[in-house]
Amino acid sequence: TPLANIRNFSIIAHIDHGKSTLADRLIQKTGGLSDREMSEQVLDNMDIERERGITIKAQTVRLSYTASDGETYQLNLMDTPGHVDFAYEVSRSLAACEGALLVVDAAQGVEAQTLANVYQSIEHDHEIVPVLNKVDLPAADPDRVKAEIEDIVGLPAQGDWQDGGAVLTSAKTGLGTEEVLEAIVRRIPPPTGDAEAPLKAMLVDSWYDPYLGVVILVRVMQGRLKKGLSIKFMQAGTQHLVDRVGCFGPKRTELPELKAGEIGFITAQIKEVAETAVGDTITTVKNPTDAPLPGFKEVQPVVFCGLFPVDANDFDKLKESLGKLRLNDASFQWETESSAALGFGFRCGFLGLLHLEIIQERLSREYDLDLITTAPSVVYKVHMTDGTLRELHNPADMPEPVKVANMEEPWIKAVIYVPDDYLGPILKLCQDRRGIQQNLTYVGGRAQVTYELPLNEVVFDFYDRLKSISRGYASFDYEQIGYREGNLVKMNILVNGEPVDALSMVVHRSQAEARGRQLCERLKDLIPRHLFKIPIQAAIGGKVIARETISAMRKDVTAKCYGGDITRKKKLLEKQKAGKARMRQYGNVDIPQEAFIAALRMG
Ligand code: GTP
């Protein structure tokens, strides 16, 4: 295909606005699959993605479309992950395209998260084609949403689609599919790049396939990628031999080569995705390009937590499962950790909270593991009095206060979009979480608020709170904006005088009392009575800042329990044994598993 007949584009859409349904329509229209094959949604191919409605791994399809001008075009549709945690991956997918469809639900209108991706797309100099989907819905209001696209996004949308306006579609009925394809061909520019220059290709994504090994999605910027070629990953500094070249149409098809301007996949006998870095530049060993592509970034986990098996016998199984997950997800990191309360487990790092949730859910669902997750923590920078700097991933590793000169914590800039009615409580939530308001604007009946917030206040349950306060209407997007000094302290929870490591956390001094009190109150309800009085305390260093007491059980109650006939006693003992597995002994206090989980779910 000549460059002039290639179009590379992605679809930007808020969750549920119909990205997958529209993509399916495009595939159907261009004959990539039979009707029977179409019955399965093609792009979202993982169960969890489907159920949660989140696209996690980028999938790309090549379509062949004969346009009204009589020419046949190669359309490469690049799917992008739909969540903030995967922002860097999104940026690389966008860098591989020349244009984008901006799909907006014609009833819901523009959402904050869509905006973040649109701005990125604009930064990549994309030609953006607005698509108003779901026009079949009675609540659809294309005129209002067109005006929103012009006001909020700053893209022309009003005119007819042939004159640069938005395309109206119903991915459900198929209305407008042809127009979308025509708009792609007419409005999105073809790629440029010299096929005879030395190879320069971007590693856009990679995933593990049990039959092929690691499959790498590439966009060739210049030169050619062929089977048998010795290639070099410029950032990783490694070399490989290309053994397959091809594309997905959406079925996997092998091709003789991929040349400048094209998107497709290669395999090169790579065993783990960890060997491939998104954004890396691929060139040839023999005739390399002189400089790598700009914009490469090594992704770093920002949220850490401990994962412990509920049943200590599951440790090896958990380890194996984590290893399997890592095969396909290099951004997820882990190392072994031991806790006096929870036994042996793993300290894991994630790109964000959603990433954490996804991994947690896979472990419990796909691998059938019962897990305890400790409170998520961010990475703190600890400046020691001896002048050294430490990165703190785990509150349990916090150095003694006297050795700490000061601490820094990561901050984010959050953009929240919310209907007017819910604005008050949202502002209060941000304020309570040490937020600094930056901006507040209104569009229609909705407010857009920008806050700077410490990430550690967000990792607790900010997102859940936001959703419940706004009845699900608020949307939230964030980016990291660097580290700032904060008055941070380690708070210990003592049960019967003994610190429970799994419950310790780093908090801002101003939040410590409230959090400590809350935690103690919860634990009081969660830990069963014993034969003796149990104090529960929250403490900073040696100073107790909150305290609750679980009163002692009355002796005669137990006496009665353990008396009686032999079968009853046996039953009781069995029950006790079963219960034991779910208890952690702490000093001489039994703390039930649920207590850890519930206590850590901060309100
Ligand atoms: P993610 O994959 O979660 O990002 O969602 P998505 O944007 O891909 O949305 P998806 O295509 O899964 O559509 C979301 C819901 O909207 C589904 O229930 C679709 O059936 C429905 N839907 C999609 N397009 C239309 C449309 O044109 N009209 C109507 N009425 N419903 C639609």
Side-chain angles (χ1 to χ4, degrees), residues 12-22 41 44 49-55 82 103-109 111 113-114 133-134 137 171-172 467 472:
I12 303 168
H14 187 67
I15 288 167
D16 260 10
H17 284 198
K19 180 169 81 175
S20 312
T21 317
L22 182 69
Q41 251 198 3
D44 286 357
E49 293 189 12
R50 174 76 57 76
E51 272 173 47
R52 303 185 60 117
I54 297 159
T55 310
V103 177
V104 181
D105 184 320
Q108 300 282 331
E111 304 281 351
Q113 203 203 309
T114 329
N133 190 37
K134 305 199 189 183
L137 290 178
K172 191 179 168 188
K467 285 286 171 192

PDB file of all heavy atoms in Angstrom, residues 12-22 41 44 49-55 82 103-109 111 113-114 133-134 137 171-172 467 472:
ATOM      1  N   ILE A  12     -10.682   7.717  20.845  1.00  0.00           N
ATOM      2  CA  ILE A  12     -10.699   8.268  22.194  1.00  0.00           C
ATOM      3  C   ILE A  12     -12.144   8.282  22.649  1.00  0.00           C
ATOM      4  O   ILE A  12     -13.008   8.789  21.945  1.00  0.00           O
ATOM      5  CB  ILE A  12     -10.176   9.718  22.205  1.00  0.00           C
ATOM      6  CG1 ILE A  12      -8.765   9.781  21.621  1.00  0.00           C
ATOM      7  CG2 ILE A  12     -10.221  10.293  23.608  1.00  0.00           C
ATOM      8  CD1 ILE A  12      -8.320  11.208  21.351  1.00  0.00           C
ATOM      9  N   ALA A  13     -12.397   7.706  23.814  1.00  0.00           N
ATOM     10  CA  ALA A  13     -13.776   7.697  24.299  1.00  0.00           C
ATOM     11  C   ALA A  13     -13.789   7.507  25.789  1.00  0.00           C
ATOM     12  O   ALA A  13     -12.872   6.917  26.359  1.00  0.00           O
ATOM     13  CB  ALA A  13     -14.559   6.557  23.643  1.00  0.00           C
ATOM     14  N   HIS A  14     -14.797   8.021  26.411  1.00  0.00           N
ATOM     15  CA  HIS A  14     -14.989   7.760  27.824  1.00  0.00           C
ATOM     16  C   HIS A  14     -15.580   6.355  27.936  1.00  0.00           C
ATOM     17  O   HIS A  14     -16.263   5.894  27.029  1.00  0.00           O
ATOM     18  CB  HIS A  14     -15.943   8.787  28.417  1.00  0.00           C
ATOM     19  CG  HIS A  14     -16.064   8.690  29.904  1.00  0.00           C
ATOM     20  ND1 HIS A  14     -15.008   8.998  30.732  1.00  0.00           N
ATOM     21  CD2 HIS A  14     -17.078   8.293  30.693  1.00  0.00           C
ATOM     22  CE1 HIS A  14     -15.390   8.807  31.973  1.00  0.00           C
ATOM     23  NE2 HIS A  14     -16.631   8.376  31.987  1.00  0.00           N
ATOM     24  N   ILE A  15     -15.308   5.689  29.067  1.00  0.00           N
ATOM     25  CA  ILE A  15     -15.851   4.357  29.295  1.00  0.00           C
ATOM     26  C   ILE A  15     -17.353   4.358  29.043  1.00  0.00           C
ATOM     27  O   ILE A  15     -18.048   5.267  29.514  1.00  0.00           O
ATOM     28  CB  ILE A  15     -15.538   3.910  30.744  1.00  0.00           C
ATOM     29  CG1 ILE A  15     -14.060   3.594  30.854  1.00  0.00           C
ATOM     30  CG2 ILE A  15     -16.385   2.716  31.154  1.00  0.00           C
ATOM     31  CD1 ILE A  15     -13.565   3.439  32.265  1.00  0.00           C
ATOM     32  N   ASP A  16     -17.793   3.382  28.274  1.00  0.00           N
ATOM     33  CA  ASP A  16     -19.228   3.201  28.009  1.00  0.00           C
ATOM     34  C   ASP A  16     -19.838   4.080  26.933  1.00  0.00           C
ATOM     35  O   ASP A  16     -21.022   4.017  26.694  1.00  0.00           O
ATOM     36  CB  ASP A  16     -20.068   3.409  29.282  1.00  0.00           C
ATOM     37  CG  ASP A  16     -20.448   2.089  29.886  1.00  0.00           C
ATOM     38  OD1 ASP A  16     -19.903   1.074  29.414  1.00  0.00           O
ATOM     39  OD2 ASP A  16     -21.267   2.067  30.801  1.00  0.00           O
ATOM     40  N   HIS A  17     -19.034   4.921  26.325  1.00  0.00           N
ATOM     41  CA  HIS A  17     -19.601   5.771  25.282  1.00  0.00           C
ATOM     42  C   HIS A  17     -19.714   5.041  23.937  1.00  0.00           C
ATOM     43  O   HIS A  17     -20.258   5.595  22.992  1.00  0.00           O
ATOM     44  CB  HIS A  17     -18.814   7.082  25.150  1.00  0.00           C
ATOM     45  CG  HIS A  17     -19.131   8.040  26.261  1.00  0.00           C
ATOM     46  ND1 HIS A  17     -18.848   9.386  26.192  1.00  0.00           N
ATOM     47  CD2 HIS A  17     -19.709   7.839  27.463  1.00  0.00           C
ATOM     48  CE1 HIS A  17     -19.253   9.963  27.330  1.00  0.00           C
ATOM     49  NE2 HIS A  17     -19.759   9.045  28.105  1.00  0.00           N
ATOM     50  N   GLY A  18     -19.158   3.803  23.899  1.00  0.00           N
ATOM     51  CA  GLY A  18     -19.416   2.972  22.723  1.00  0.00           C
ATOM     52  C   GLY A  18     -18.227   2.711  21.830  1.00  0.00           C
ATOM     53  O   GLY A  18     -18.385   2.351  20.670  1.00  0.00           O
ATOM     54  N   LYS A  19     -17.022   2.857  22.393  1.00  0.00           N
ATOM     55  CA  LYS A  19     -15.816   2.637  21.596  1.00  0.00           C
ATOM     56  C   LYS A  19     -15.769   1.240  20.980  1.00  0.00           C
ATOM     57  O   LYS A  19     -15.580   1.095  19.768  1.00  0.00           O
ATOM     58  CB  LYS A  19     -14.575   2.859  22.482  1.00  0.00           C
ATOM     59  CG  LYS A  19     -13.275   2.668  21.754  1.00  0.00           C
ATOM     60  CD  LYS A  19     -12.118   3.162  22.574  1.00  0.00           C
ATOM     61  CE  LYS A  19     -11.700   2.125  23.605  1.00  0.00           C
ATOM     62  NZ  LYS A  19     -10.501   2.557  24.335  1.00  0.00           N
ATOM     63  N   SER A  20     -15.968   0.224  21.812  1.00  0.00           N
ATOM     64  CA  SER A  20     -15.868  -1.154  21.305  1.00  0.00           C
ATOM     65  C   SER A  20     -16.962  -1.460  20.300  1.00  0.00           C
ATOM     66  O   SER A  20     -16.719  -2.123  19.290  1.00  0.00           O
ATOM     67  CB  SER A  20     -15.959  -2.161  22.449  1.00  0.00           C
ATOM     68  OG  SER A  20     -15.108  -1.782  23.483  1.00  0.00           O
ATOM     69  N   THR A  21     -18.161  -0.982  20.574  1.00  0.00           N
ATOM     70  CA  THR A  21     -19.273  -1.265  19.662  1.00  0.00           C
ATOM     71  C   THR A  21     -19.010  -0.615  18.310  1.00  0.00           C
ATOM     72  O   THR A  21     -19.223  -1.213  17.262  1.00  0.00           O
ATOM     73  CB  THR A  21     -20.599  -0.758  20.265  1.00  0.00           C
ATOM     74  OG1 THR A  21     -20.636  -1.103  21.649  1.00  0.00           O
ATOM     75  CG2 THR A  21     -21.788  -1.382  19.571  1.00  0.00           C
ATOM     76  N   LEU A  22     -18.507   0.603  18.328  1.00  0.00           N
ATOM     77  CA  LEU A  22     -18.206   1.288  17.069  1.00  0.00           C
ATOM     78  C   LEU A  22     -17.077   0.580  16.323  1.00  0.00           C
ATOM     79  O   LEU A  22     -17.152   0.372  15.109  1.00  0.00           O
ATOM     80  CB  LEU A  22     -17.843   2.754  17.331  1.00  0.00           C
ATOM     81  CG  LEU A  22     -17.568   3.560  16.051  1.00  0.00           C
ATOM     82  CD1 LEU A  22     -18.855   3.766  15.249  1.00  0.00           C
ATOM     83  CD2 LEU A  22     -16.928   4.897  16.360  1.00  0.00           C
ATOM     84  N   GLN A  41     -17.703  -9.692  20.842  1.00  0.00           N
ATOM     85  CA  GLN A  41     -17.053  -8.390  20.707  1.00  0.00           C
ATOM     86  C   GLN A  41     -15.578  -8.633  20.523  1.00  0.00           C
ATOM     87  O   GLN A  41     -14.963  -9.394  21.244  1.00  0.00           O
ATOM     88  CB  GLN A  41     -17.303  -7.540  21.952  1.00  0.00           C
ATOM     89  CG  GLN A  41     -18.251  -6.409  21.653  1.00  0.00           C
ATOM     90  CD  GLN A  41     -18.169  -5.325  22.698  1.00  0.00           C
ATOM     91  OE1 GLN A  41     -17.372  -5.390  23.622  1.00  0.00           O
ATOM     92  NE2 GLN A  41     -18.988  -4.323  22.538  1.00  0.00           N
ATOM     93  N   ASP A  44     -12.343  -6.075  22.949  1.00  0.00           N
ATOM     94  CA  ASP A  44     -12.118  -6.337  24.373  1.00  0.00           C
ATOM     95  C   ASP A  44     -12.084  -7.839  24.567  1.00  0.00           C
ATOM     96  O   ASP A  44     -13.122  -8.468  24.650  1.00  0.00           O
ATOM     97  CB  ASP A  44     -13.270  -5.795  25.218  1.00  0.00           C
ATOM     98  CG  ASP A  44     -13.223  -4.295  25.311  1.00  0.00           C
ATOM     99  OD1 ASP A  44     -12.284  -3.711  24.770  1.00  0.00           O
ATOM    100  OD2 ASP A  44     -14.123  -3.732  25.934  1.00  0.00           O
ATOM    101  N   GLU A  49     -11.851  -7.341  31.390  1.00  0.00           N
ATOM    102  CA  GLU A  49     -12.079  -6.110  30.645  1.00  0.00           C
ATOM    103  C   GLU A  49     -13.543  -5.997  30.280  1.00  0.00           C
ATOM    104  O   GLU A  49     -14.149  -4.948  30.383  1.00  0.00           O
ATOM    105  CB  GLU A  49     -11.243  -6.094  29.366  1.00  0.00           C
ATOM    106  CG  GLU A  49      -9.770  -6.012  29.627  1.00  0.00           C
ATOM    107  CD  GLU A  49      -8.983  -5.781  28.355  1.00  0.00           C
ATOM    108  OE1 GLU A  49      -9.602  -5.464  27.332  1.00  0.00           O
ATOM    109  OE2 GLU A  49      -7.757  -5.922  28.408  1.00  0.00           O
ATOM    110  N   ARG A  50     -14.072  -7.119  29.828  1.00  0.00           N
ATOM    111  CA  ARG A  50     -15.457  -7.107  29.412  1.00  0.00           C
ATOM    112  C   ARG A  50     -16.359  -6.758  30.577  1.00  0.00           C
ATOM    113  O   ARG A  50     -17.164  -5.841  30.507  1.00  0.00           O
ATOM    114  CB  ARG A  50     -15.821  -8.487  28.870  1.00  0.00           C
ATOM    115  CG  ARG A  50     -17.278  -8.653  28.527  1.00  0.00           C
ATOM    116  CD  ARG A  50     -17.620  -7.946  27.229  1.00  0.00           C
ATOM    117  NE  ARG A  50     -16.784  -8.423  26.147  1.00  0.00           N
ATOM    118  CZ  ARG A  50     -16.961  -9.592  25.538  1.00  0.00           C
ATOM    119  NH1 ARG A  50     -17.948 -10.362  25.915  1.00  0.00           N
ATOM    120  NH2 ARG A  50     -16.167  -9.968  24.590  1.00  0.00           N
ATOM    121  N   GLU A  51     -16.186  -7.493  31.671  1.00  0.00           N
ATOM    122  CA  GLU A  51     -17.079  -7.286  32.792  1.00  0.00           C
ATOM    123  C   GLU A  51     -16.977  -5.911  33.401  1.00  0.00           C
ATOM    124  O   GLU A  51     -17.949  -5.305  33.777  1.00  0.00           O
ATOM    125  CB  GLU A  51     -16.808  -8.331  33.876  1.00  0.00           C
ATOM    126  CG  GLU A  51     -17.620  -9.567  33.621  1.00  0.00           C
ATOM    127  CD  GLU A  51     -17.236 -10.648  34.573  1.00  0.00           C
ATOM    128  OE1 GLU A  51     -17.132 -10.350  35.775  1.00  0.00           O
ATOM    129  OE2 GLU A  51     -17.023 -11.781  34.116  1.00  0.00           O
ATOM    130  N   ARG A  52     -15.763  -5.413  33.505  1.00  0.00           N
ATOM    131  CA  ARG A  52     -15.603  -4.098  34.103  1.00  0.00           C
ATOM    132  C   ARG A  52     -15.741  -3.022  33.055  1.00  0.00           C
ATOM    133  O   ARG A  52     -15.716  -1.850  33.376  1.00  0.00           O
ATOM    134  CB  ARG A  52     -14.223  -3.987  34.752  1.00  0.00           C
ATOM    135  CG  ARG A  52     -13.979  -5.055  35.777  1.00  0.00           C
ATOM    136  CD  ARG A  52     -12.667  -4.806  36.439  1.00  0.00           C
ATOM    137  NE  ARG A  52     -12.678  -3.515  37.083  1.00  0.00           N
ATOM    138  CZ  ARG A  52     -12.546  -3.347  38.372  1.00  0.00           C
ATOM    139  NH1 ARG A  52     -12.410  -4.362  39.143  1.00  0.00           N
ATOM    140  NH2 ARG A  52     -12.536  -2.148  38.893  1.00  0.00           N
ATOM    141  N   GLY A  53     -15.820  -3.463  31.802  1.00  0.00           N
ATOM    142  CA  GLY A  53     -15.951  -2.486  30.735  1.00  0.00           C
ATOM    143  C   GLY A  53     -14.711  -1.641  30.580  1.00  0.00           C
ATOM    144  O   GLY A  53     -14.770  -0.479  30.225  1.00  0.00           O
ATOM    145  N   ILE A  54     -13.558  -2.204  30.857  1.00  0.00           N
ATOM    146  CA  ILE A  54     -12.331  -1.434  30.745  1.00  0.00           C
ATOM    147  C   ILE A  54     -11.400  -2.116  29.757  1.00  0.00           C
ATOM    148  O   ILE A  54     -11.216  -3.317  29.805  1.00  0.00           O
ATOM    149  CB  ILE A  54     -11.614  -1.359  32.103  1.00  0.00           C
ATOM    150  CG1 ILE A  54     -12.479  -0.631  33.102  1.00  0.00           C
ATOM    151  CG2 ILE A  54     -10.263  -0.676  31.955  1.00  0.00           C
ATOM    152  CD1 ILE A  54     -12.103  -0.940  34.512  1.00  0.00           C
ATOM    153  N   THR A  55     -10.843  -1.344  28.868  1.00  0.00           N
ATOM    154  CA  THR A  55      -9.899  -1.907  27.936  1.00  0.00           C
ATOM    155  C   THR A  55      -8.514  -1.794  28.554  1.00  0.00           C
ATOM    156  O   THR A  55      -8.066  -0.714  28.873  1.00  0.00           O
ATOM    157  CB  THR A  55      -9.940  -1.134  26.610  1.00  0.00           C
ATOM    158  OG1 THR A  55     -11.301  -1.038  26.227  1.00  0.00           O
ATOM    159  CG2 THR A  55      -9.160  -1.832  25.539  1.00  0.00           C
ATOM    160  N   GLY A  82      -8.173   2.527  28.410  1.00  0.00           N
ATOM    161  CA  GLY A  82      -9.059   3.633  28.762  1.00  0.00           C
ATOM    162  C   GLY A  82      -8.902   4.194  30.161  1.00  0.00           C
ATOM    163  O   GLY A  82      -9.795   4.840  30.660  1.00  0.00           O
ATOM    164  N   VAL A 103     -15.041   9.737  20.283  1.00  0.00           N
ATOM    165  CA  VAL A 103     -16.412   9.238  20.407  1.00  0.00           C
ATOM    166  C   VAL A 103     -17.037   9.789  21.677  1.00  0.00           C
ATOM    167  O   VAL A 103     -16.501   9.605  22.781  1.00  0.00           O
ATOM    168  CB  VAL A 103     -16.437   7.695  20.437  1.00  0.00           C
ATOM    169  CG1 VAL A 103     -17.857   7.183  20.643  1.00  0.00           C
ATOM    170  CG2 VAL A 103     -15.869   7.135  19.145  1.00  0.00           C
ATOM    171  N   VAL A 104     -18.140  10.506  21.521  1.00  0.00           N
ATOM    172  CA  VAL A 104     -18.832  11.070  22.673  1.00  0.00           C
ATOM    173  C   VAL A 104     -20.285  10.605  22.641  1.00  0.00           C
ATOM    174  O   VAL A 104     -20.945  10.666  21.603  1.00  0.00           O
ATOM    175  CB  VAL A 104     -18.796  12.617  22.642  1.00  0.00           C
ATOM    176  CG1 VAL A 104     -19.499  13.192  23.861  1.00  0.00           C
ATOM    177  CG2 VAL A 104     -17.367  13.124  22.574  1.00  0.00           C
ATOM    178  N   ASP A 105     -20.731  10.121  23.778  1.00  0.00           N
ATOM    179  CA  ASP A 105     -22.126   9.700  23.925  1.00  0.00           C
ATOM    180  C   ASP A 105     -23.018  10.936  23.752  1.00  0.00           C
ATOM    181  O   ASP A 105     -22.889  11.914  24.497  1.00  0.00           O
ATOM    182  CB  ASP A 105     -22.279   9.100  25.336  1.00  0.00           C
ATOM    183  CG  ASP A 105     -23.656   8.523  25.588  1.00  0.00           C
ATOM    184  OD1 ASP A 105     -24.644   9.139  25.159  1.00  0.00           O
ATOM    185  OD2 ASP A 105     -23.729   7.460  26.236  1.00  0.00           O
ATOM    186  N   ALA A 106     -23.919  10.868  22.781  1.00  0.00           N
ATOM    187  CA  ALA A 106     -24.729  12.043  22.443  1.00  0.00           C
ATOM    188  C   ALA A 106     -25.737  12.385  23.535  1.00  0.00           C
ATOM    189  O   ALA A 106     -26.363  13.438  23.499  1.00  0.00           O
ATOM    190  CB  ALA A 106     -25.442  11.829  21.116  1.00  0.00           C
ATOM    191  N   ALA A 107     -25.894  11.509  24.520  1.00  0.00           N
ATOM    192  CA  ALA A 107     -26.774  11.825  25.639  1.00  0.00           C
ATOM    193  C   ALA A 107     -25.974  12.312  26.850  1.00  0.00           C
ATOM    194  O   ALA A 107     -26.385  13.203  27.574  1.00  0.00           O
ATOM    195  CB  ALA A 107     -27.598  10.597  26.022  1.00  0.00           C
ATOM    196  N   GLN A 108     -24.793  11.731  27.042  1.00  0.00           N
ATOM    197  CA  GLN A 108     -23.993  12.053  28.238  1.00  0.00           C
ATOM    198  C   GLN A 108     -23.131  13.292  28.076  1.00  0.00           C
ATOM    199  O   GLN A 108     -22.869  13.997  29.034  1.00  0.00           O
ATOM    200  CB  GLN A 108     -23.051  10.887  28.574  1.00  0.00           C
ATOM    201  CG  GLN A 108     -23.734   9.578  28.862  1.00  0.00           C
ATOM    202  CD  GLN A 108     -24.302   9.546  30.249  1.00  0.00           C
ATOM    203  OE1 GLN A 108     -23.777  10.194  31.138  1.00  0.00           O
ATOM    204  NE2 GLN A 108     -25.399   8.830  30.432  1.00  0.00           N
ATOM    205  N   GLY A 109     -22.600  13.486  26.896  1.00  0.00           N
ATOM    206  CA  GLY A 109     -21.712  14.624  26.686  1.00  0.00           C
ATOM    207  C   GLY A 109     -20.271  14.325  27.071  1.00  0.00           C
ATOM    208  O   GLY A 109     -19.919  13.185  27.384  1.00  0.00           O
ATOM    209  N   GLU A 111     -16.781  14.020  28.970  1.00  0.00           N
ATOM    210  CA  GLU A 111     -16.355  13.689  30.338  1.00  0.00           C
ATOM    211  C   GLU A 111     -14.894  14.079  30.549  1.00  0.00           C
ATOM    212  O   GLU A 111     -14.121  14.152  29.593  1.00  0.00           O
ATOM    213  CB  GLU A 111     -16.482  12.174  30.568  1.00  0.00           C
ATOM    214  CG  GLU A 111     -17.846  11.607  30.325  1.00  0.00           C
ATOM    215  CD  GLU A 111     -18.797  11.853  31.486  1.00  0.00           C
ATOM    216  OE1 GLU A 111     -18.333  12.322  32.544  1.00  0.00           O
ATOM    217  OE2 GLU A 111     -19.987  11.580  31.327  1.00  0.00           O
ATOM    218  N   GLN A 113     -12.330  12.562  31.648  1.00  0.00           N
ATOM    219  CA  GLN A 113     -11.279  11.672  31.205  1.00  0.00           C
ATOM    220  C   GLN A 113     -11.079  11.718  29.704  1.00  0.00           C
ATOM    221  O   GLN A 113      -9.963  11.578  29.217  1.00  0.00           O
ATOM    222  CB  GLN A 113     -11.597  10.250  31.633  1.00  0.00           C
ATOM    223  CG  GLN A 113     -10.331   9.436  31.701  1.00  0.00           C
ATOM    224  CD  GLN A 113     -10.630   7.991  31.556  1.00  0.00           C
ATOM    225  OE1 GLN A 113     -11.477   7.450  32.241  1.00  0.00           O
ATOM    226  NE2 GLN A 113      -9.941   7.362  30.638  1.00  0.00           N
ATOM    227  N   THR A 114     -12.168  11.935  28.981  1.00  0.00           N
ATOM    228  CA  THR A 114     -12.056  12.078  27.537  1.00  0.00           C
ATOM    229  C   THR A 114     -11.138  13.254  27.248  1.00  0.00           C
ATOM    230  O   THR A 114     -10.285  13.199  26.371  1.00  0.00           O
ATOM    231  CB  THR A 114     -13.437  12.396  26.911  1.00  0.00           C
ATOM    232  OG1 THR A 114     -14.439  11.792  27.677  1.00  0.00           O
ATOM    233  CG2 THR A 114     -13.507  11.956  25.475  1.00  0.00           C
ATOM    234  N   ASN A 133     -22.025   9.412  19.250  1.00  0.00           N
ATOM    235  CA  ASN A 133     -22.604   8.068  19.202  1.00  0.00           C
ATOM    236  C   ASN A 133     -23.900   8.008  20.018  1.00  0.00           C
ATOM    237  O   ASN A 133     -24.201   8.922  20.778  1.00  0.00           O
ATOM    238  CB  ASN A 133     -21.573   7.062  19.728  1.00  0.00           C
ATOM    239  CG  ASN A 133     -21.996   5.630  19.497  1.00  0.00           C
ATOM    240  OD1 ASN A 133     -22.601   5.304  18.473  1.00  0.00           O
ATOM    241  ND2 ASN A 133     -21.699   4.761  20.455  1.00  0.00           N
ATOM    242  N   LYS A 134     -24.620   6.938  19.832  1.00  0.00           N
ATOM    243  CA  LYS A 134     -25.880   6.680  20.545  1.00  0.00           C
ATOM    244  C   LYS A 134     -26.963   7.700  20.201  1.00  0.00           C
ATOM    245  O   LYS A 134     -27.780   8.054  21.056  1.00  0.00           O
ATOM    246  CB  LYS A 134     -25.662   6.650  22.074  1.00  0.00           C
ATOM    247  CG  LYS A 134     -24.591   5.654  22.523  1.00  0.00           C
ATOM    248  CD  LYS A 134     -24.719   5.310  23.983  1.00  0.00           C
ATOM    249  CE  LYS A 134     -23.527   4.501  24.466  1.00  0.00           C
ATOM    250  NZ  LYS A 134     -23.628   4.070  25.853  1.00  0.00           N
ATOM    251  N   LEU A 137     -30.652   7.011  21.038  1.00  0.00           N
ATOM    252  CA  LEU A 137     -31.265   7.141  22.367  1.00  0.00           C
ATOM    253  C   LEU A 137     -32.221   8.332  22.417  1.00  0.00           C
ATOM    254  O   LEU A 137     -31.914   9.390  21.868  1.00  0.00           O
ATOM    255  CB  LEU A 137     -30.190   7.338  23.443  1.00  0.00           C
ATOM    256  CG  LEU A 137     -29.282   6.164  23.781  1.00  0.00           C
ATOM    257  CD1 LEU A 137     -28.254   6.590  24.825  1.00  0.00           C
ATOM    258  CD2 LEU A 137     -30.106   4.986  24.298  1.00  0.00           C
ATOM    259  N   ALA A 171     -23.797   3.189  16.964  1.00  0.00           N
ATOM    260  CA  ALA A 171     -23.038   1.946  16.792  1.00  0.00           C
ATOM    261  C   ALA A 171     -23.962   0.759  17.008  1.00  0.00           C
ATOM    262  O   ALA A 171     -23.721  -0.330  16.514  1.00  0.00           O
ATOM    263  CB  ALA A 171     -21.871   1.913  17.761  1.00  0.00           C
ATOM    264  N   LYS A 172     -25.049   1.008  17.742  1.00  0.00           N
ATOM    265  CA  LYS A 172     -25.998  -0.067  18.008  1.00  0.00           C
ATOM    266  C   LYS A 172     -26.727  -0.478  16.735  1.00  0.00           C
ATOM    267  O   LYS A 172     -26.832  -1.664  16.438  1.00  0.00           O
ATOM    268  CB  LYS A 172     -26.993   0.402  19.065  1.00  0.00           C
ATOM    269  CG  LYS A 172     -27.854  -0.694  19.621  1.00  0.00           C
ATOM    270  CD  LYS A 172     -28.776  -0.113  20.673  1.00  0.00           C
ATOM    271  CE  LYS A 172     -29.852  -1.095  21.045  1.00  0.00           C
ATOM    272  NZ  LYS A 172     -30.845  -0.450  21.919  1.00  0.00           N
ATOM    273  N   LYS A 467     -17.304   8.824  43.965  1.00  0.00           N
ATOM    274  CA  LYS A 467     -18.402   8.204  43.235  1.00  0.00           C
ATOM    275  C   LYS A 467     -19.673   8.164  44.085  1.00  0.00           C
ATOM    276  O   LYS A 467     -20.762   8.428  43.595  1.00  0.00           O
ATOM    277  CB  LYS A 467     -18.036   6.779  42.800  1.00  0.00           C
ATOM    278  CG  LYS A 467     -17.075   6.745  41.635  1.00  0.00           C
ATOM    279  CD  LYS A 467     -17.768   7.111  40.344  1.00  0.00           C
ATOM    280  CE  LYS A 467     -16.759   7.284  39.220  1.00  0.00           C
ATOM    281  NZ  LYS A 467     -17.298   7.902  38.024  1.00  0.00           N
ATOM    282  N   GLY A 472     -22.199   8.541  41.385  1.00  0.00           N
ATOM    283  CA  GLY A 472     -21.587   7.996  40.178  1.00  0.00           C
ATOM    284  C   GLY A 472     -21.378   9.005  39.062  1.00  0.00           C
ATOM    285  O   GLY A 472     -20.821   8.683  38.028  1.00  0.00           O
TER     286      GLY A 472
END
